[in-house]
Amino acid sequence: MEELRDRIGRRVKALPNGLQSHIHRVEEIAKELALCHGVEQQRASLGMLAHDVARAMAGDELLRRAGEMELPIETVERKAPVLLHGPVGAAILAREDGLDDPALHGAVYWHSTGHPTLDDLGKIVFLADKLDPQKARMYPYQSLLKQLAAENLDRAMLEFLTRETISRVSQGLLVHPACVETRNHLLATADPQ
């Protein structure tokens, strides 16, 4: 795992400074959440280092790379190619850097949209990305999300996905099918309170 961490670390160092800062802020958040939920902190740290390795790519490059790697491209991704940075990043890490851990791969792949197959590591990567203090203006309910994430990853994801779906629909924006599928899965499997 150290060799993989070194390779990913080199990729992160090549990213713009603002993106590097984001990655390191959310890495700390992920390690805190990992501690709360019995997930290995080193894996959570690695997931956060890896999650945005393709984030600096332009939209046309993301579409091209996704096509070359035969990744599925949804209608919403054609309109907002930035949503492909997770899938493209995961594929690059698997093909070029030897990422062969299915949970880490899924965490990177689905960190923007969520997915019903995410385990606790994937949920931590998804949530930590949204809990970057620099995103507080984008997510004004971030303090509630942070509290929920420390207590229950599923409830935190459901809260985020519900609020974001309502926001996007009310603005007439597209909602990624994986967001809807994940929200439905979380609702269907939620513990009754």
Side-chain angles (χ1 to χ4, degrees):
M1 190 176 306
E2 276 310 308
E3 188 176 326
L4 178 61
R5 175 177 283 281
D6 290 344
R7 288 180 185 155
I8 293 170
R10 284 192 293 275
R11 286 188 185 278
V12 170
K13 285 180 183 166
L15 294 171
N17 289 338
L19 195 50
Q20 288 183 51
S21 295
H22 161 71
I23 288 168
H24 294 301
R25 282 191 304 271
V26 297
E27 181 184 9
E28 293 307 310
I29 294 166
K31 288 186 335 192
E32 290 174 22
L33 290 175
L35 195 58
C36 293
H37 297 287
V39 171
E40 188 180 327
Q41 286 185 305
Q42 186 178 10
R43 292 185 78 228
S45 171
L46 187 57
M48 294 321 297
L49 280 176
H51 86 285
D52 271 351
V53 295
R55 180 63 180 86
M57 289 183 185
D60 57 343
E61 184 179 359
L62 287 167
L63 285 165
R64 181 182 60 76
R65 297 287 294 263
E68 288 172 358
M69 294 186 277
E70 300 180 353
L71 298 171
I73 303 172
E74 298 284 346
T75 301
V76 67
E77 293 161 341
R78 291 197 188 282
K79 293 284 187 186
V82 69
L83 292 171
L84 288 169
H85 77 275
V88 168
I92 288 170
L93 293 172
R95 293 171 189 210
E96 297 177 14
D97 293 337
L99 174 62
D100 61 359
D101 179 322
L104 275 170
H105 184 272
V108 173
Y109 194 106
W110 297 112
H111 80 269
S112 293
T113 61
H115 195 269
T117 60
L118 289 178
D119 64 2
D120 284 352
L121 173 64
K123 293 171 186 176
I124 286 169
V125 171
F126 175 89
L127 290 164
D129 182 46
K130 285 38 170 197
L131 290 171
D132 182 345
Q134 296 292 317
K135 293 183 177 182
R137 184 174 285 144
M138 194 181 328
Y139 308 128
Y141 52 89
Q142 199 179 63
S143 62
L144 170 63
L145 193 64
K146 185 174 184 175
Q147 176 188 340
L148 287 173
E151 297 168 5
N152 185 301
L153 296 170
D154 287 352
R155 279 199 311 232
M157 284 190 66
L158 183 57
E159 183 72 24
F160 177 84
L161 291 168
T162 298
R163 286 178 181 258
E164 283 305 296
T165 299
I166 290 168
S167 174
R168 294 189 69 76
V169 169
S170 69
Q171 295 176 65
L173 299 173
L174 296 169
V175 178
H176 196 287
C179 293
V180 175
E181 186 182 2
T182 305
R183 183 178 177 277
N184 287 343
H185 172 76
L186 291 167
L187 276 173
T189 59
D191 291 330
Q193 295 185 355

